[in-house]
Amino acid sequence: MNPERLNAATRVALAAYLHDLGKFAERARIAEAEEKDAAGVSRAEREKQLNCPSFKGRSTHVHAAYTAIGFDLLEAHLPELVGDVMTPFAPWGERNADDSIINAAARHHRPDTFLQWIVASADRLASGFEREAFASYNAAADDDGRKLNHYTQRQWTLLEQIRLDGRAEPAVPDYRYPLAPLSPSALFPVPAADCETAGNAGAQAEYRALWQGFTAAIPQIPASHRGNLPLWLDHFDSLWQTYTHAIPSATTGGIRPEVSLYDHSRTAAALAVALWRYHADRNDDPATTRESLRAQWDHQRAAGELAHDAWESEKFLLIQGDFHGIQDFIFATGGETQKRAAKLLRGRSFQVSLLAELAALRVLEALDLPPTSQVVNAAGKFLIVAPNTPASAHALAAVQAEFDAWFLRHTHGRVGIGLARLPARADDFRSGTAGAASPFQTLVRRLFEQLEAVKLRRFGLCAEAPPPALFEDFLDAFHPGRGECRVDGRSPATVELSPGVWASALAADQIDIGHCLATQDRVLITREPLDHQTLRLDIFGYRIRFTRGEAETGRFGREARSGNLRRCWDFSLPEGFTDPLWNGYARRCINAYVPRFDDANAWDAELYRGLEHPGASVPHPDEPKTLNHLARDDRRLHEDGKTWVGQEALMTLKGDVDNLGTLFERGLERPTFAKWAALSRQVNAFFAVYLPWLCAHGEEDGIRRYRNTYTVFAGGDDFFLIGPWHSTLALAGRMRSEFARFVAGNPDIHFSAGLSMTKPGLPIRHLARLAETALEAAKVHQEPGPDGEAGAAKNAVAVFGQTVSWDRFDALRRSEARLARMARDVGLSTGYLYGLLQLTDMAAGIGDKPHNALWHAWFAYRTRRLVESRIRGGEDREAVERRRRALAAELATEIAREGIERFGAAYKIALFTYLYQQRD
């Protein structure tokens, strides 16, 4: 790593990242902008003259003036913006110097210098502008006469607009994101009428409250971290996301307000750094490059050689990382796996995310890029924008070799991280014009294809010069008295977990991570070891330590100033539904929700009688539950007050978003880089932010119904959960309804899921395999259409050996509730209900065996016998018979017609759900 070059790149990133700071400040109508000098001229008017373009005698895009004002207001809490060493900006003490960071940011609509044109070009490419479209946008007023202006307009949701069935995107969607800090609540769009008004005063007040929250939160970044530019920017990125994720980045000039200020800022910063570094690393003449960039956006010079070079040269390098073999990694099994199942599950899941984050960090540092150059990182995949130079290609090859060596040494090739790279031109980032092919869509498709190719070339085994014998000393690594790792069953054992029980260092670290996640909420990433380092193994040269709270984390200011502390990540789970997701440090949503005991001695409650305590020497109220405890959490005390009823079992829930690749490749008519990044961030947030909150705090009928569910992994577009069987079944339905709300009711975006019910002692790998089999059944399901032919595909759930659409699943859950009420009121016997299981098979198999149509007769016969046993004869035989017929008719309607006839064999879902709740 070259610290000087990295710091220079970070300064360019900061200028581009905050180029639209003024949109936030201006919409908040900050009072400082109206302060006047001795001549009676306000700060806003002075800055307009310096930074804003003019059109027909008026200043446009006045937010640029507020960007300069905003920088001044935040300066006390930002890294040094002026001084002797401000490379690549001029080392002047004057804040108004032409090549200052502030001017590079503020003059993006009126650029003049090389660095100002770098920021301006990145701003336009992030938005996917055509040359003509930008010219129109640059001439537009902030208030272009619409009913809703830049104060009152709220951000549209991209998820509502995605179309896969050929329908046109809506001209104006129905939903908006409320103007609020990022929280579990703020992820969900609301009807436009609920958050958009025509009144400027009220809308400005909302922005002002948001601005005040933002400015009050900046000082929470440790002051000692400001001298470490990449570390500080990583913290600031999380802060900026928290307060700008729902601010529209553009509301005028015909631009749809569908990309947040955060997503635009981040993609613009990534492009700016790559563009600057491309020219700086090649030692290109700044004046010539400036003219090339100017020509790129100039109508009169559009056909010139300079403009052609700016559009067509492959200056950018897209780097996509992919963690392959995640399931093998998480569910590797050995003799000790079951005994430590809970810790291993959460430790391995976290380690997957940690490895992906550290791999991205390693790429960034190898290329001397700031954190904002990493545009996406979710579920084991990341995307970085770099300069397309020979030095970048050489560094990436070295990093890939480093990754391969680490994974071959510690996982013996079971898992790894592959790096795909794709050169790109400025022209590739254009969104395209209506009715024409989108260059950015083509770029995305090529990127996916490149990643698929890399997956087939793992570890370079098929290269012209493959690596030497991989495990030539493998057998020699086994110590005679230790043998193989008792956790993964194959690695040489080096760490003693308990007397006589040995494991590999990687497995021991996974168990330690599982323990730390129950007690800590921050992780420190350093190059040199710290005292009491948490993990035994370094990861790609980084040392890992877990900490908790400000008091302990704040002790490492010296490490931050020295540069040894590379990152400090807050991974705490969200608490309140509306609480901002900001705790003063960079946030990574990579933690799993872990069910815990609430009260003292809860593990000794009658419900858990006979189970061992969770494994701590002294159990305490915050102790994580084991899977054995979870299996009993859906049991309930019988009316007699003595016995517990309900099946003792776990339910494994696995699922992912349907057709995700298609959503990203062609879901939007005119995608842009910022939109693409926004979609990835938003989909990930549902599973990585909202789902853990739902498990921890979500209520159903006033009860925290899902609090005993482990989120083994949840992020990107998929999830894997383990919990008590019945509440997990309910959670699946709740997730589906919440996801529909999350995507604003868009029928083209949905997920499929598989559920598997098992005893708690089954090996974890077997649980995963059963859930995967169920998910595969859901993925190939096609719901019958009205004419009996195959209808919609996927968008389904598989459970109890049956696969149904989510709508039918919800209907079956309602049917089970009615069945339960009827069983309670009428006294339906267990034998009667079990007999219905056979009838559902007969009803579903009439086409194969005509005699199965006799199920109606069998149902009538069994029902008649039941009602006769429930309604005994009396003196008034006619009255008794009427009651019997009425009850038989009620059962026929609810069970035969609305149950078996309607659902066929799938009615077993309702029957099993009810019957398993009655077992003792």
Side-chain angles (χ1 to χ4, degrees), residues 146-310:
R146 295 175 301 166
K147 179 179 180 181
L148 292 172
N149 56 30
H150 65 295
Y151 300 120
T152 56
Q153 178 76 68
R154 295 294 174 258
Q155 186 178 317
W156 298 0
T157 167
L158 289 168
L159 294 165
E160 182 183 4
Q161 302 175 61
I162 285 178
R163 296 292 183 266
L164 298 181
D165 62 357
R167 294 175 296 145
E169 291 182 5
V172 178
D174 297 325
Y175 284 81
R176 307 287 185 271
Y177 288 110
L179 192 65
L182 182 62
S183 67
S185 171
L187 295 174
F188 291 87
V190 299
D194 292 351
C195 65
E196 281 184 339
T197 65
N200 284 354
Q204 291 167 357
E206 288 185 22
Y207 269 108
R208 194 152 45 248
L210 197 64
W211 174 265
Q212 290 167 353
F214 165 66
T215 54
I218 293 179
Q220 295 179 33
I221 300 177
S224 61
H225 291 196
R226 291 208 297 270
N228 186 328
L229 295 184
L231 178 66
W232 180 91
L233 185 57
D234 196 37
H235 298 325
F236 185 80
D237 176 70
S238 291
L239 172 66
W240 189 247
Q241 178 184 7
T242 299
Y243 285 94
T244 66
H245 78 105
I247 296 178
S249 65
T251 60
T252 59
I255 306 301
R256 296 161 68 97
E258 57 195 3
V259 174
S260 74
L261 187 55
Y262 171 74
D263 292 301
H264 177 70
S265 299
R266 181 135 188 169
T267 49
L271 291 168
V273 170
L275 185 60
W276 169 72
R277 277 283 305 279
Y278 173 82
H279 291 291
D281 289 0
R282 287 160 39 102
N283 293 315
D284 289 341
D285 177 53
T288 303
T289 303
R290 178 193 61 189
E291 292 307 307
S292 174
L293 297 174
R294 192 197 303 272
Q296 181 177 4
W297 302 99
D298 190 332
H299 280 290
Q300 297 179 354
R301 306 169 66 185
E305 182 178 343
L306 287 175
H308 182 271
D309 176 72

Side-chain angles (χ1 to χ4, degrees), residues 110-132:
R110 192 179 173 183
D112 183 43
T113 69
F114 162 63
L115 292 171
Q116 290 168 14
W117 269 106
I118 290 288
V119 173
S121 295
D123 167 41
R124 302 169 194 187
L125 292 176
S127 298
F129 274 122
E130 307 285 334
R131 181 188 297 105
E132 296 79 6

Side-chain angles (χ1 to χ4, degrees), residues 362-572:
R362 185 69 192 94
V363 172
L364 290 173
E365 292 198 337
L367 299 177
D368 296 319
L369 297 174
T372 50
S373 291
Q374 175 187 323
V375 177
V376 173
N377 198 344
K381 291 183 174 60
F382 59 83
L383 179 70
I384 290 171
V385 184
N388 184 30
T389 62
S392 292
H394 179 76
L396 283 176
V399 170
Q400 181 68 79
E402 184 179 343
F403 291 167
D404 290 347
W406 194 94
F407 282 107
L408 288 171
R409 179 182 178 186
H410 297 296
T411 75
H412 311 294
R414 285 174 292 157
V415 297
I417 290 179
L419 299 176
R421 55 180 186 261
L422 181 69
R425 309 164 300 166
D427 190 71
D428 293 324
F429 291 94
R430 292 187 299 112
S431 63
T433 56
S438 166
F440 187 74
Q441 275 186 332
T442 302
L443 179 65
V444 170
R445 184 176 64 253
R446 290 167 52 211
L447 186 61
F448 274 89
E449 292 170 352
Q450 188 71 13
L451 186 60
E452 289 301 314
V454 167
K455 289 181 180 179
L456 301 175
R457 299 196 301 265
R458 298 178 184 178
F459 301 109
L461 300 180
C462 298
E464 293 183 3
L470 301 180
F471 310 126
E472 56 186 9
D473 58 349
F474 179 67
L475 295 179
D476 296 334
F478 288 88
H479 188 280
R482 303 169 185 171
E484 81 283 358
C485 173
R486 296 290 297 277
V487 174
D488 68 20
R490 64 185 76 187
S491 301
T494 58
V495 179
E496 191 172 25
L497 300 177
S498 59
V501 178
W502 290 81
S504 68
L506 182 66
D509 278 350
Q510 291 164 354
I511 294 171
D512 287 344
I513 291 173
H515 173 74
C516 289
L517 295 181
T519 58
Q520 315 291 331
D521 52 21
R522 292 192 183 126
V523 60
L524 307 177
I525 312 300
T526 63
R527 270 296 188 179
E528 299 300 324
L530 299 174
D531 57 312
H532 306 297
Q533 180 177 324
T534 303
L535 302 188
R536 297 164 182 81
L537 292 179
D538 66 11
I539 301 177
F540 315 138
Y542 299 110
R543 312 299 178 95
I544 314 300
R545 171 163 178 176
F546 288 85
T547 70
R548 177 168 187 158
E550 176 64 26
E552 184 177 353
T553 307
R555 292 171 42 213
F556 300 99
R558 183 176 63 181
E559 303 294 335
R561 286 188 290 269
S562 71
N564 183 39
L565 180 61
R566 300 302 174 83
R567 294 291 188 270
C568 177
W569 291 326
D570 170 26
F571 56 80
S572 60

Side-chain angles (χ1 to χ4, degrees), residues 840-863:
T840 63
D841 286 330
M842 292 178 67
I846 293 176
D848 298 326
K849 297 180 180 179
H851 76 267
N852 281 334
L854 291 174
W855 78 265
H856 290 280
W858 279 105
F859 176 82
Y861 171 72
R862 292 174 179 175
T863 301

Side-chain angles (χ1 to χ4, degrees), residues 60-79:
T60 64
H61 299 81
V62 298
H63 68 269
Y66 282 77
T67 291
I69 298 171
F71 260 101
D72 282 343
L73 297 178
L74 302 180
E75 183 179 1
H77 304 293
L78 299 178

